[in-house]
Amino acid sequence: MKEYSYFDGIQFLKEVTEKLKNRIEEIEQTLSEGQREIASIQEYYWENYAEMDQYGYEEYDNQQALFSQINTNQEKLLLKQRFEKMYREPFFGRVDFLFQGESEKEPFYIGIGNFALRAGMTPLIYDWRAPVCSLFYDADNGDAAYEAPSGTVKGRVCAKWQYKIRNGKMIYAFECDTKIDDEILQQELGQNGDIRLKNIVRTIQKEQNAIIRNLNDKILVIQGAAGSGKTSIALHRIAYLLYHDRKNLKSSNILILSPNSVFADYISHILPELGEENIQEMSFDVFAYHELKDIAEDCEDKYQDLERRMKYPDCVQADTFNSKQSAQFAGEIEGFLAVLEDELMEFKEITFKGMKLTEEELIRLFYFKFQDTPLLERMDAVMEYFVDSYETLYSRDISDEEKDYLKRKFDALYMTKDIYEIYNRLLAWCGMDTLPEVPYERRKLCYEDVYPMLYLKYRLKKKNVHKNIKHLVIDEMQDYSYIQYLILHRLFSCRMTILGDKAQTLGTEPQDVLKFFTKIFGKKYRSIEIKKSYRNTVEIAKFAERISGITDLELFHRHGKEVDEQQFQTEKELLDMILKNVSIGEDTYETAAILTMTEGEAWHLFSLLKKWNVHVNYVDRNSSTFQKGLTVTTFYLAKGLEFDQVFAVLNDDKNPLYKQAAYICATRALHELYMYQTGEQR
């Protein structure tokens, strides 16, 4: 590439797209050759397998060659796909930097990934995560520095440029001075809502970049207002960490706890867009359900609990729920366990084929030798000790049938090993109402009991510490209780990114989890608060402020329609108005949502619209995809999502969660918000 074109964005684009096109063609040629090689290996095998050596060496070599070529082709295909994306938009920014001690500035073009003419050569385009690219997000024109693997690199930023490229064509190019230009941000944020969360590499702000590139803090807590980009920041942070530490951190080492499957689908494309493999996702409620499957047939999840609390707003029940999730209750569990050791056991002499363990020996082994073994597995350890002693003394192995016999004898020393029964003992010990004494197949745990029982199980039995997980992402942190965090801390000893907004707590009052984080995590975490909201127009954001009472947010100045508040006499009038105002199509919006308080209300409105032959999507807690068009769902399932238009239908202002629902609905809207009610109560 000719040197003069480096500082001419349009000429550089022309030349770099030509080189990308050539690389894509080269890869396509290599892929074709690879496919022919695979076909040749397979043909050779089928023609000669009957004559291959009897020891299988030739067959093994053939298979290894086949697997190697398939893997090579897969890698080439992924590279081709990345370069095809880059061909459409090779870069979005540029920094001209004069290194200290040098006389000529050097341009650094910034894109979604690296591109060099050949491996090992200086990139023509730098990955946005490369150390030098931090200058684009952080530095003003003038003296500046960035951190590289070799140490601090000093110099001077001479210019910064922003570009918009679509399908290989330059839309605009202009020089900017101190920050990502507000006009560009306005344009990006003013676009219609996608059916997926957007990546933010073109518009990362200085304070966001500091969070994304943070490598120092083991646990980073992001407390951010609705629409502040918390989830985007967390995902871009994961992409940065994967880029920074490829030797030790893989996508398989990262887990995100997401609120539901729809949200997981909504964010699932971000990491692949940023050049990384997708990461594991899990709902903590689903995890708990599987962990308790040996104790109870079924468990409530968070959303079933919400529905019940809205239908039967009993403050006593809410108080019981809160008390069972508290630090105080966790302490009561520990006190109960100290007493349980004595109450749960009935020691009796164990005899087996001439060998015995006296009551005194059992007590000594149980309380002293194996005191660090969890209570319900302690007798297993004592039994293994007994078996080892017998086999050593008599020089013979005990059969599996004999071991089963011994296990029954040792297990009989427990009054019970049923954690459900033990949990009931705990409740009685604490002066609380106990659960129904029913057989396994009739046990369904209320949500308030799920995590206390899971914590009790982990204290009574060994837990699986997930050592393969090196980074845990917890979204919607405000909806996790003290007991839940206590469990997570015991299960995961890794680095964490924790994010949420206390104003969006799914409860009657906001929950600030930071009040008890120190008790659980010690001082190993750093908290960062983001007070700037980017999602909503000023009109919508001001409306949300009046609901929440939060007045210290910094609003991004993007204006739109005033919020439309109306009350209707009938559902027909309501739906007629929604259909009049909804604007979905190629030249209008991509997404709109009708949000209700309860699942029953959502299903009712969805059913009416379907009868009217309206194309509409329905999302409940079993849904797994987020789709464009008009969607009907509840306010709580809409958390974390955003829509071009939101129609909130909240009829029951006596509902204890009405205020939270109204706030969450309002903050989902990108461009237009409609707050509707009907006179019909359901």
Side-chain angles (χ1 to χ4, degrees), residues 561-572:
K561 287 180 63 174
E562 291 291 338
V563 177
D564 183 8
E565 295 182 83
Q566 291 194 56
Q567 186 159 353
F568 303 91
Q569 291 301 310
T570 67
E571 286 178 336
K572 185 179 184 307

Side-chain angles (χ1 to χ4, degrees), residues 550-603:
I550 301 170
T551 57
D552 60 344
L553 297 183
E554 184 182 350
L555 304 181
F556 189 78
H557 287 283
R558 180 174 66 88
H559 287 276
K561 287 180 63 174
E562 291 291 338
V563 177
D564 183 8
E565 295 182 83
Q566 291 194 56
Q567 186 159 353
F568 303 91
Q569 291 301 310
T570 67
E571 286 178 336
K572 185 179 184 307
E573 291 175 352
L574 165 77
L575 293 176
D576 282 341
M577 184 59 71
I578 290 175
L579 295 177
K580 178 183 175 182
N581 287 316
V582 73
S583 185
I584 300 290
E586 288 186 12
D587 300 323
T588 50
Y589 294 131
E590 290 280 330
T591 59
I594 301 172
L595 304 181
T596 66
M597 291 288 295
T598 68
E599 192 173 63
E601 292 166 346
W603 176 255

Side-chain angles (χ1 to χ4, degrees), residues 650-674:
L650 309 177
N651 292 328
D652 186 5
D653 57 8
K654 300 293 190 294
N655 190 307
L657 293 178
Y658 178 84
K659 181 179 175 182
Q660 293 298 93
Y663 178 74
I664 291 168
C665 289
T667 54
R668 300 309 95 202
L670 279 163
H671 307 299
E672 296 179 15
L673 174 63
Y674 302 83

Side-chain angles (χ1 to χ4, degrees), residues 511-553:
Q511 178 182 226
D512 186 0
V513 298
L514 294 179
K515 290 181 177 179
F516 56 69
F517 263 27
T518 303
K519 191 170 182 179
I520 295 175
F521 298 111
K523 296 181 179 179
K524 297 177 181 177
Y525 75 92
R526 182 185 177 196
S527 175
I528 297 173
E529 188 172 9
I530 309 173
K531 290 190 174 184
K532 190 167 185 177
S533 177
Y534 297 95
R535 176 185 296 141
N536 315 120
T537 63
V538 171
E539 290 75 13
I540 295 170
K542 290 288 187 183
F543 180 85
E545 276 186 356
R546 291 198 298 273
I547 298 171
S548 66
I550 301 170
T551 57
D552 60 344
L553 297 183

Side-chain angles (χ1 to χ4, degrees), residues 20-54:
L20 277 163
K21 183 181 176 184
N22 293 339
R23 281 296 303 278
I24 292 167
E25 289 173 352
E26 287 176 11
I27 294 171
E28 286 175 342
Q29 179 65 28
T30 305
L31 281 169
S32 296
E33 293 171 359
Q35 284 299 119
R36 286 195 293 272
E37 180 65 19
I38 289 170
S40 175
I41 294 170
Q42 290 173 325
E43 185 180 358
Y44 176 84
Y45 175 80
W46 290 114
E47 288 178 354
N48 298 278
Y49 78 95
E51 301 174 9
M52 291 182 177
D53 66 272
Q54 59 178 323

Side-chain angles (χ1 to χ4, degrees), residues 74 77 106 119 137 144 182 306 321 328 346 388 452 474 486 526 532 546 589 650 660 663:
Q74 185 62 29
L77 182 61
E106 188 173 341
Y137 300 111
D182 275 357
L306 271 175
F321 176 90
Q328 181 181 349
E346 188 175 1
D388 289 343
I474 302 173
L486 204 57
R526 182 185 177 196
K532 190 167 185 177
R546 291 198 298 273
Y589 294 131
L650 309 177
Q660 293 298 93
Y663 178 74

